[in-house]
Amino acid sequence: MDEQSYDVVVVGGGFAGVAAAQTSARRGLSVLLLDKNPFHQFQPLLYQVATSQIAVASVARPLRAIFRPQRQRVQVKIADVAAVDAAAHTVTTSDGTRFSGKSLVVAIGAEANFFNTPGAEEHAYPLYSVSDATALASRLLGLIDGATSGTTPQPFDVVVVGGGPTGVETAGAIAENFAYVISHYVSPEFAAACTVHLVDMVKQVLTPFSPASQKYAHERLTKAGVRVKLGSGVTEITATTVTLADGTTIDTPLVVWAGGLKGGALLAASGLPLGRGGRVDVNPDLSVPGFDRVYALGDAANVPDGKGGSLPQLGSVAQQSGAWAGKNLHAQLSGGKPTPFAYRDKGIMAMIGKGAAVAEIGRKRRELRGSFAFLAWLAVHAMLLSGAWQRISAVVSWGWDYFTHRRPHVVVYRPEEYAGGHSVASSPDHGDDAPH
């Protein structure tokens, strides 16, 4: 069995893993980064890939391109990780190769949490990876084409489960597909007969936001034609229906699951201490209790917020914690001590539709709504995209979409999903784009 050693072994090429590798390399450490896919994905914009607003290449940047300036210190290995031995700082890939380091960073992401809802894993479409987004885009296109292939178009409904930012943004984007794109290419009558439902067991959308932002988002979704059903959770999903706890049944051939995340099977088998959501409970300095020079980051970790709770699963938390872990690793390997993570709260924002967004900026949560929040959302996400080409591509697509009401990237990525067919969760390549 082969074995190679590095100063730092990073498992996962998401926000946290990339930031940890970059910071470690800048401080002179040798780094190995392992991921199942050769690209880093920008998860906040996956819903726009799923609704044909931007191209896959806008959200997926090659990992080796990211680390080209640091290629002497960072080696990128594309491999499926089969096992993590945190105590020994070793990672074993599916081909039997073992990699070891003086330290280990676990940033393996998460997976959809279906909360044991009957039928959800088999029939619902999660939205956490590029693979998820392309499957959903293909299925939606297949439904539209199938519904309009006969003499009389047959309308259909879409159900989005989860009233958080991902659910709100996805519901709004699909509703705009119906209102603008399908209305133009098929007929306004057909588009008006297709309905998007947003359902959640909680009694408001966008729970982390202020009541004023929640009210605005609810009103804008309703104005866009989305039927918002709150306070009643999903009890069952079939291939053609969604049943809610209050007995309501919605006929639908497409369910998008934005109902939460949990730690994956690899994390559960790692032997690390798991807490809420199946994620690793970490110390204030991001290290794992009981494991020397082992750090857990991003969606794989519950990062303390200093108030008895955990920081939210946000890209900004992942990026900042990754950079902080890199500094702490360098300090430890140089004979120093790690320091507690100090998160810089930049705020939260969510897109609802064209010209409509909510943003709460900074630690003091300065609130923006409407067109100003919309422009702020565009600027922030363009800036955060990895790579100049990705930024330019996204901005051009946004401009085209905004001024023409057309979707510039109508592509059938997954023919089997376009054909109408099977569950994403049971697809053999489901989750391939989630960092493992």
Side-chain angles (χ1 to χ4, degrees):
M1 184 179 292
D2 297 329
E3 184 166 346
Q4 302 178 42
S5 184
Y6 301 82
D7 290 327
V8 183
V9 174
V10 179
V11 185
F15 289 123
V18 167
Q22 288 176 323
T23 303
S24 298
R26 291 191 190 108
R27 283 158 174 73
L29 302 179
S30 62
V31 180
L32 170 68
L33 184 141
L34 295 119
D35 197 282
K36 191 173 183 177
N37 299 286
F39 54 82
H40 164 76
Q41 58 187 0
F42 190 78
Q43 290 169 320
L45 294 180
L46 289 176
Y47 83 93
Q48 294 199 356
V49 174
T51 52
S52 303
Q53 295 180 64
I54 62 175
V56 169
S58 297
V59 301
R61 187 185 180 195
L63 286 167
R64 291 189 175 92
I66 294 174
F67 291 105
R68 186 172 293 117
Q70 300 167 314
R71 58 185 176 274
Q72 299 302 319
R73 294 199 175 275
V74 180
Q75 180 180 346
V76 176
K77 175 73 173 178
I78 310 305
D80 186 9
V81 173
V84 174
D85 186 338
H89 299 162
T90 63
V91 175
T92 304
T93 58
S94 57
D95 64 0
T97 305
R98 179 182 297 157
F99 301 93
S100 65
K102 297 176 183 177
S103 57
L104 176 66
V105 173
V106 179
I108 57 179
E111 63 183 40
N113 189 350
F114 296 106
F115 299 100
N116 298 315
T117 304
E121 188 171 358
E122 293 79 15
H123 301 295
Y125 285 67
L127 194 51
Y128 185 70
S129 69
V130 169
S131 180
D132 293 338
T134 56
L136 177 54
S138 301
R139 178 63 174 147
L140 185 57
L141 289 172
L143 285 170
I144 294 169
D145 287 348
T148 58
S149 60
T151 304
T152 304
Q154 299 297 315
F156 62 93
D157 289 4
V158 175
V159 175
V160 179
V161 181
T166 299
V168 166
E169 292 178 331
T170 304
I174 295 176
E176 288 190 340
N177 266 2
F178 289 160
Y180 297 123
V181 184
I182 298 176
S183 177
H184 175 78
Y185 286 106
V186 183
S187 73
E189 293 76 20
F190 173 75
C194 295
T195 303
V196 180
H197 303 260
L198 178 65
V199 301
D200 202 326
M201 65 183 298
V202 301
K203 295 185 178 180
Q204 65 280 323
V205 297
L206 300 179
T207 301
F209 290 74
S210 71
S213 294
Q214 294 169 357
K215 180 181 177 182
Y216 175 84
H218 195 147
E219 290 175 348
R220 292 294 304 197
L221 287 170
T222 302
K223 185 177 180 180
V226 178
R227 294 185 184 176
V228 182
K229 173 75 171 177
L230 302 174
S232 187
V234 175
T235 58
E236 185 180 15
I237 298 174
T238 71
T240 57
T241 61
V242 170
T243 302
L244 306 182
D246 64 2
T248 301
T249 299
I250 304 171
D251 293 328
T252 175
L254 178 59
V255 180
V256 183
W257 188 272
L261 301 171
K262 66 177 181 178
L266 184 61
L267 199 62
S270 67
L272 296 171
L274 303 183
R276 182 175 57 86
R279 294 181 286 268
V280 181
D281 288 331
V282 299
N283 294 317
D285 62 6
L286 306 174
S287 64
V288 179
F291 293 83
D292 187 34
R293 297 191 304 278
V294 176
Y295 289 76
L297 308 170
D299 289 340
N302 292 318
V303 179
D305 62 3
K307 303 175 184 178
S310 300
L311 291 172
Q313 311 301 127
L314 297 175
S316 58
V317 175
Q319 285 181 320
Q320 292 182 44
S321 64
W324 199 279
K327 295 176 185 178
N328 278 347
L329 284 168
H330 177 258
Q332 284 188 287
L333 294 174
S334 302
K337 294 183 178 180
T339 57
F341 174 49
Y343 174 56
R344 181 184 176 189
D345 190 348
K346 297 181 179 180
I348 50 179
M349 48 180 51
M351 173 76 76
I352 303 163
K354 289 183 176 70
V358 291
E360 299 181 4
I361 309 299
R363 185 170 296 177
K364 294 184 178 180
R365 292 291 193 262
R366 180 185 177 187
E367 295 184 21
L368 298 174
R369 287 180 286 276
S371 58
F372 288 109
F374 176 74
L375 293 173
W377 187 98
L378 293 175
V380 167
H381 285 75
M383 181 177 62
L384 291 176
L385 278 167
S386 179
W389 191 94
Q390 283 72 21
R391 297 187 188 101
I392 293 171
S393 174
V395 169
V396 170
S397 295
W398 288 336
W400 178 268
D401 178 61
Y402 185 84
F403 290 108
T404 68
H405 298 311
R406 304 288 182 269
R407 291 295 187 251
H409 300 285
V410 179
V411 179
V412 178
Y413 303 99
R414 303 274 291 274
E416 75 281 5
E417 296 297 340
Y418 177 84
H422 61 281
S423 157
V424 175
S426 63
S427 175
D429 61 348
H430 169 61
D432 279 358
D433 302 293
H436 293 295

